[in-house]
Amino acid sequence: MVCDAATTVAAIRAVAATVAEHRVELTHLDRDIGDGDHGENLSRGFTAVITKLAAGSPETPTAVLKLVATTLISTVGGASGPLFGTAFLRASTSVGAAETLDGTAVAAALTAARDGVVARGKAESGDKTMVDALTPAVNAANAAADGGRGVPEVLSAAADAAADGAVATTPMQARKGRASYLGERSIGHVDPGAQSTAYLLRALAGAAAG
Amino acid sequence: MSVGLVLVSHSRALAQGLADVARQMAPSVSIVPAGGTDDGGIGTSFDLISAAIAQADQGDGAILLYDLGSGYLTASTAVEFLDPEQAERVVIVDAPLVQGAVSAAISSQVGGDLRAVVSGALEARRADGPGGVRSLDDLDG
Ligand SMILES: [Mg+2]
């Protein structure tokens, strides 16, 4: 499989479908320890992305990722807009002008995305945020890429690690975001942002696996 | 010209109401509410905040005050998208929203520059208020 603009668009469509599928569940998770809008917000954002892609597909992976970034930033309306938007923006910058991406490029893009989220949200590992899914995913992706793996294996490793990372947020006490106001009462719930990050990476991996 | 204010809130009504309050003592300052999502729902809007910055900064700069963390995230993203020359005079300030807005607005009204207006917003958290509990020790005493 070649990872070019068309497959990047297909992967983004898969993400949008996953977000729609898990919309209610993500909103319920956010209702437990947040403001109860996560699924709706992400769904609004990715619906807008699909509308833009229908109007005309960008011709390089970087342009696809940039379109996703700016659309999420403008339409999501919650913290996940700037956070996921920044992630896609940094990924877009990372892949540069390349027409096709290999495992190393995808791992580097994930790393840049995570670094962007950390720079924007100032969260550290263990704060019970999307970083707790992203950082294990980045580590797994880089290990796979260093081992010479291709895009499907890199994304699959990232998705597995993100899923574990999301589960691992359950016993954590939130130190960032709206959930942090709950203090100890935030313990015992999966972080919605970590969960949506894991779903997003699973969808990317599924698309890459064909 | 004067330093402008952008009031970022999750609620359109909250930002609008606060702008009304702050303008009372700073009638010539550009105080621009940026509350709620594009369709008036609860949340923050990159586009509304970007437009508010364009309106508030008339050349002397602007400060942004926000209500909650995700307001900061959207505001900081909007500032990052400004051209670098303008971004240098647009400052997000971590201050109490209502008192910070009133204090900053007055600093601007009396001719303060960007530094003075940022300082005005920050001083809101130290200002000796009219009364009430100021620490848990007060509550126990
Ligand atoms: Mg939320």
Side-chain angles (χ1 to χ4, degrees):
Chain A
M1 188 215 71
V2 180
C3 183
D4 59 10
T7 46
T8 307
V9 168
I12 296 302
R13 288 186 190 283
V15 169
T18 293
V19 166
E21 182 190 343
H22 293 286
R23 178 176 60 89
V24 173
E25 177 202 336
L26 290 171
T27 286
H28 282 163
L29 288 178
D30 195 28
R31 200 164 288 160
D32 290 338
I33 55 168
D35 51 359
D37 61 5
H38 191 51
E40 307 301 330
N41 282 348
L42 275 189
S43 176
R44 182 183 321 116
F46 277 98
T47 300
V49 167
I50 293 301
T51 303
K52 287 219 175 147
L53 287 174
S57 280
E59 288 174 8
T60 53
T62 187
V64 177
L65 296 169
K66 188 166 187 196
L67 178 148
V68 175
T70 54
T71 307
L72 293 181
I73 287 169
S74 285
T75 59
V76 167
S80 45
L83 290 170
F84 278 107
T86 299
F88 277 98
L89 202 56
R90 298 292 178 94
S92 167
T93 304
S94 170
V95 302
E99 299 273 336
T100 63
L101 309 179
D102 59 10
T104 303
V106 169
L110 282 177
T111 307
R114 188 273 316 270
D115 292 348
V117 169
V118 169
R120 174 75 58 215
K122 316 272 192 311
E124 295 172 11
S125 292
D127 284 352
K128 196 181 183 99
T129 71
M130 62 193 290
V131 171
D132 292 308
L134 264 179
T135 288
V138 164
N139 293 341
N142 280 312
D146 289 347
R149 306 292 178 183
V151 174
E153 293 89 347
V154 165
L155 285 173
S156 157
D160 290 347
D164 292 347
V167 170
T169 63
T170 305
M172 294 176 183
Q173 177 172 334
R175 289 193 296 248
K176 277 276 183 263
R178 205 70 69 87
S180 64
Y181 292 104
L182 293 173
E184 288 181 0
R185 282 170 293 159
S186 64
I187 294 171
H189 302 274
V190 174
D191 177 65
Q195 187 62 65
S196 59
T197 299
Y199 285 147
L200 190 149
L201 285 166
R202 178 67 68 205
L204 292 178
Chain B
M1 277 197 303
S2 58
V3 176
L5 270 65
V6 174
L7 308 176
V8 176
S9 167
H10 281 64
S11 154
R12 180 184 283 182
L14 197 160
Q16 181 61 55
L18 176 55
D20 294 341
V21 171
R23 281 177 193 136
Q24 270 196 309
M25 292 178 74
S28 57
V29 177
S30 180
I31 300 173
V32 188
T37 58
D38 292 341
D39 55 5
I42 299 293
T44 52
S45 159
F46 174 86
D47 291 341
L48 280 179
I49 294 169
S50 299
I53 294 171
Q55 200 183 328
D57 172 29
Q58 295 162 358
D60 285 343
I63 71 162
L64 283 74
L65 298 162
Y66 59 91
D67 57 357
L68 289 165
S70 57
Y72 171 77
L73 294 179
T74 308
S76 67
T77 307
V79 171
E80 197 174 297
F81 273 73
L82 297 174
D83 75 66
E85 181 252 337
Q86 186 182 22
E88 275 180 19
R89 56 176 193 265
V90 175
V91 181
I92 305 171
V93 186
D94 180 9
L97 179 59
V98 176
Q99 296 180 68
V102 171
S103 176
I106 293 168
S107 300
S108 179
Q109 177 70 30
V110 299
D113 62 6
L114 185 58
R115 266 191 99 76
V117 174
V118 170
S119 169
L122 292 173
E123 273 163 20
R125 46 169 56 173
R126 288 190 296 272
D128 237 353
V133 168
R134 295 184 61 83
S135 77
L136 283 176
D137 294 340
D138 295 346
L139 195 60
D140 297 333

